[in-house]
Amino acid sequence: MKVIVKKDYENMSKEAANIIKKEIEKKPDIVLGLATGSTPIGMYEELIRLHKEEGLDFSKVTTFNLDEYVGIDKDHPNSYHYFMKDVFFDHINIDMDNTFIPDGKAEDPESYCKEYDKLIDEKGGVDVQILGIGENGHIAFNEPAEKLNVGTSIVKLTQSTIEANSRFFDSMDEVPKTAITMGIGSIMKAKKIILLANGKKKAKAIKELIKGDKITTYLPASMLLLHSDVTIIVDEEAYNG
Ligand code: F6R
């Protein structure tokens, strides 16, 4: 596990964007695994700048998002579909037919989850997976628990995640309590994983992860210790607390 500590959020974001840029230049038809949330926004902004000012080409890129709330329409302003278009896809030359985000309104969620993992495999698997991390150590929406799901699944969000997500909603009642998320196994299949974290709130989870001596389902991110190509990019606040 490689750890890169950057001075601040901006430098963390640029470091991640530059790694992705190099990977796209090496393999123009790369499959990227993408995350939502506050953490990767700066990275998306830098990728948009690289597209507009330096011609970074997304025309052959395929993307798979980690997760989506259950029961939320794709055009709802708090859906991850909306977020991805608003923050990233609308500003680059990606073919929207090559972007995949779990459908929070799938009619048959169980078989849909299996299809999502199958589709990732059919597209050749994720080359580079971007991850954020929850304050409680979750990755995607794989929350700390006695057992973790291997494949894409429907999951209940923990109270701490519901509270963390409530900042985007008008009231706690509106925050979805379930989500569809790629499982730990789906994530671990990625050839390369980049986990980003910034701010003091992430310091505890990052400290435990970087210690690197134990894996536990109660710190889902610790499963990444079993992967052979993980880079953690953090700002000083997330590193030092
Ligand atoms: C989002 C996701 C989540 C977030 C995590 C951190 O697609 O998978 O695991 O990465 O909750 O969220 P932020 O970045 O908002 O602190």
Side-chain angles (χ1 to χ4, degrees):
M1 192 174 268
K2 188 174 161 192
V3 182
I4 301 175
V5 184
K6 289 289 176 182
K7 191 166 65 107
D8 53 22
Y9 179 71
E10 189 185 337
N11 285 285
M12 176 204 78
S13 304
K14 285 190 173 155
E15 180 77 21
N18 277 326
I19 295 176
I20 294 179
K21 175 179 182 259
K22 284 189 196 126
E23 295 290 334
I24 295 176
E25 285 168 351
K26 251 197 290 178
K27 186 179 179 192
D29 62 347
I30 195 167
V31 178
L32 295 177
L34 299 180
T36 54
S38 308
T39 311
I41 291 177
M43 178 196 76
Y44 291 135
E45 283 170 357
E46 176 63 7
L47 284 170
I48 293 166
R49 191 194 67 75
L50 290 169
H51 166 65
K52 292 196 168 147
E53 293 177 16
E54 297 182 25
L56 183 61
D57 182 14
F58 290 88
S59 62
K60 297 192 183 74
V61 172
T62 295
T63 64
F64 283 93
N65 264 78
L66 289 167
D67 39 22
E68 176 60 285
Y69 292 122
V70 163
I72 206 162
D73 281 322
K74 288 180 183 164
D75 54 5
H76 188 291
N78 285 330
S79 76
Y80 289 171
H81 280 79
Y82 187 97
F83 175 99
M84 288 309 297
K85 271 176 71 64
D86 189 41
V87 170
F88 192 37
F89 296 151
D90 279 353
H91 312 283
I92 54 170
N93 66 332
I94 198 157
D95 178 348
M96 285 306 287
D97 288 343
N98 293 336
T99 67
F100 301 94
I101 302 175
D103 182 358
K105 289 202 117 178
E107 272 183 25
D108 180 351
E110 226 164 87
S111 57
Y112 177 82
C113 288
K114 289 202 180 82
E115 287 302 315
Y116 196 72
D117 281 325
K118 212 170 119 202
L119 190 61
I120 298 174
D121 287 346
E122 280 167 12
K123 297 283 180 187
V126 171
D127 292 300
V128 182
Q129 175 67 57
I130 299 295
L131 295 176
I133 184 169
E135 289 166 39
N136 62 5
H138 74 211
I139 48 174
F141 277 136
N142 297 286
E143 301 279 25
E146 191 188 345
K147 294 174 185 174
L148 296 174
N149 290 306
V150 174
T152 297
S153 312
I154 307 289
V155 293
K156 282 202 175 95
L157 301 180
T158 59
Q159 192 57 30
S160 83
T161 299
I162 293 168
E163 277 162 25
N165 292 351
S166 68
R167 67 193 192 274
F168 301 111
F169 291 82
D170 291 337
S171 72
M172 280 292 273
D173 287 349
E174 282 179 44
V175 190
K177 311 292 182 292
T178 48
I180 175 166
T181 181
M182 274 166 64
I184 294 289
S186 327
I187 293 169
M188 290 287 283
K189 276 191 191 170
K191 288 155 203 132
K192 182 181 186 66
I193 297 178
I194 299 170
L195 182 141
L196 306 178
N198 68 287
K200 286 189 181 10
K201 282 182 174 175
K202 304 293 172 72
K204 190 169 162 269
I206 289 296
K207 196 174 174 189
E208 268 183 75
L209 176 60
I210 290 177
K211 217 164 115 203
D213 60 347
K214 280 188 186 65
I215 54 165
T216 163
T217 55
Y218 289 99
L219 183 74
S222 68
M223 296 295 147
L224 301 176
L225 292 164
L226 300 175
H227 194 284
S228 62
D229 189 353
V230 178
T231 301
I232 298 183
I233 311 174
V234 289
D235 72 351
E236 282 179 0
E237 284 191 349
Y239 189 68
N240 296 319

